[in-house]
Amino acid sequence: MQHIVLVEDDDRLASLIEKFLNKNGYKVSRISDGRSAVQFILSHKPDLVLLDINLPDLDGFAVCRQIRHQFNQPILFLTAKDSDYDHVSGLEMGADDYLIKPIEPHVLLARIHNAFRRCQTNMISQQKLTFGQLSIEKSSRIVTLAEQPIELTTHEFELLWLLASHAGQVQSREFVHQQMIGREYDGLDRSVDVRISRLRKKLQDNLKKPYRIITVWGKGYLFSATAWEQS
């Protein structure tokens, strides 16, 4: 049974949506405020989030921003706001869809089904990443550069996949450290720096002036999607 988190402070509406989704085979957890939603979503990792924008203490946009880096499942904004600006803002923050209340139950169900289908398609396509002459296969953990295999440790592969799956986007040192080491960055630990250095060497990056895995000073690391045409 797929798990949906419904973040909505209108109790009557939330109850109606919950009952409807229950009848259609979904498990639903209702939350009425933004801060509780962030904690619950990150700890329980549901299959989909229905997220109202106007929430007490922390609005839906802020919730989306706080969970998106650690939550890869669909997020659907459900709101009474019919504004192009809000619509665009929501999608740019990482939401998968934007639904205007009131919404017909069968339309809501169809949009949820579509979100799950897109998510499944993305998961399949994301099992292999290709950038020029660099190929990364997730399931087999095979990495090749210019058709030559690159031997990576488990930690090195996980680091490469983390950066490559966010190609062109700066990933903060704190985020990478949390994902790789499993605890918050204390400002002193250089474990990630060492792994980055080893990864650059194996991927034939320029160690003095890296152009494939770039350190953006004061911000974090950036995997270049366009620096792999020549080995």
Side-chain angles (χ1 to χ4, degrees):
M1 182 179 291
Q2 289 172 304
H3 182 196
I4 294 177
V5 168
L6 171 60
V7 188
E8 170 63 67
D9 63 338
D10 183 329
D11 288 339
R12 180 176 177 278
L13 176 61
S15 179
L16 290 173
I17 293 175
E18 179 182 18
K19 290 178 181 178
F20 174 73
L21 293 179
N22 285 160
K23 289 181 180 179
N24 284 275
Y26 292 106
K27 173 186 175 183
V28 178
S29 296
R30 284 169 51 187
I31 302 174
S32 59
D33 68 276
R35 296 190 188 281
S36 298
V38 171
Q39 296 175 0
F40 186 91
I41 292 166
L42 293 182
S43 62
H44 289 78
K45 297 296 175 69
D47 298 295
L48 181 143
V49 173
L50 281 174
L51 180 59
D52 187 23
I53 288 181
N54 290 325
L55 295 168
D57 72 37
L58 198 66
D59 67 26
F61 289 148
V63 172
C64 187
R65 280 195 300 268
Q66 291 191 25
I67 67 174
R68 207 18 143 183
H69 277 305
Q70 301 177 57
F71 180 74
N72 296 320
Q73 297 297 105
I75 298 174
L76 279 62
F77 276 126
L78 182 62
T79 178
K81 290 189 174 184
D82 188 7
S83 159
D84 289 341
Y85 174 80
D86 289 325
H87 191 167
V88 171
S89 297
L91 296 177
E92 287 181 342
M93 288 176 192
D96 297 86
D97 207 345
Y98 191 97
L99 313 180
I100 306 300
K101 295 184 289 187
I103 184 169
E104 292 293 331
H106 69 278
V107 175
L108 172 62
L109 191 62
R111 302 287 275 271
I112 290 173
H113 288 168
N114 284 339
F116 278 131
R117 280 196 292 269
R118 289 196 302 268
C119 184
Q120 182 64 29
T121 300
N122 290 339
M123 287 176 64
I124 293 172
S125 65
Q126 286 297 305
Q127 292 303 303
K128 181 176 180 179
L129 299 175
T130 303
F131 305 92
Q133 297 187 66
L134 178 69
S135 174
I136 313 168
E137 295 186 20
K138 188 174 185 180
S139 58
S140 62
R141 292 180 176 261
I142 293 175
V143 178
T144 59
L145 181 58
E147 300 184 355
Q148 298 300 311
I150 305 296
E151 293 188 8
L152 300 179
T153 66
T154 298
H155 290 313
E156 289 167 349
F157 181 87
E158 290 174 352
L159 176 58
L160 175 61
W161 185 265
L162 175 66
L163 297 175
S165 60
H166 296 86
Q169 303 173 22
V170 177
Q171 301 302 303
S172 71
R173 180 190 296 270
E174 291 77 14
F175 173 70
V176 174
H177 191 278
Q178 175 68 46
Q179 296 299 305
M180 297 304 303
I181 310 300
R183 60 176 182 271
E184 292 185 4
Y185 179 58
D186 61 6
L188 300 174
D189 194 324
R190 290 292 177 261
S191 301
V192 171
D193 294 324
V194 171
R195 293 179 190 179
I196 289 281
S197 180
R198 290 175 179 168
L199 195 55
R200 283 172 173 155
K201 185 175 182 180
K202 291 185 177 183
L203 295 176
Q204 302 173 29
D205 202 351
N206 186 321
L207 300 184
K208 293 184 177 180
K209 193 174 182 180
Y211 64 99
R212 288 178 163 170
I213 300 177
I214 303 166
T215 297
V216 181
W217 298 110
K219 294 186 178 180
Y221 307 102
L222 182 145
F223 178 96
S224 173
T226 59
W228 306 93
E229 295 303 324
Q230 296 181 352
S231 60

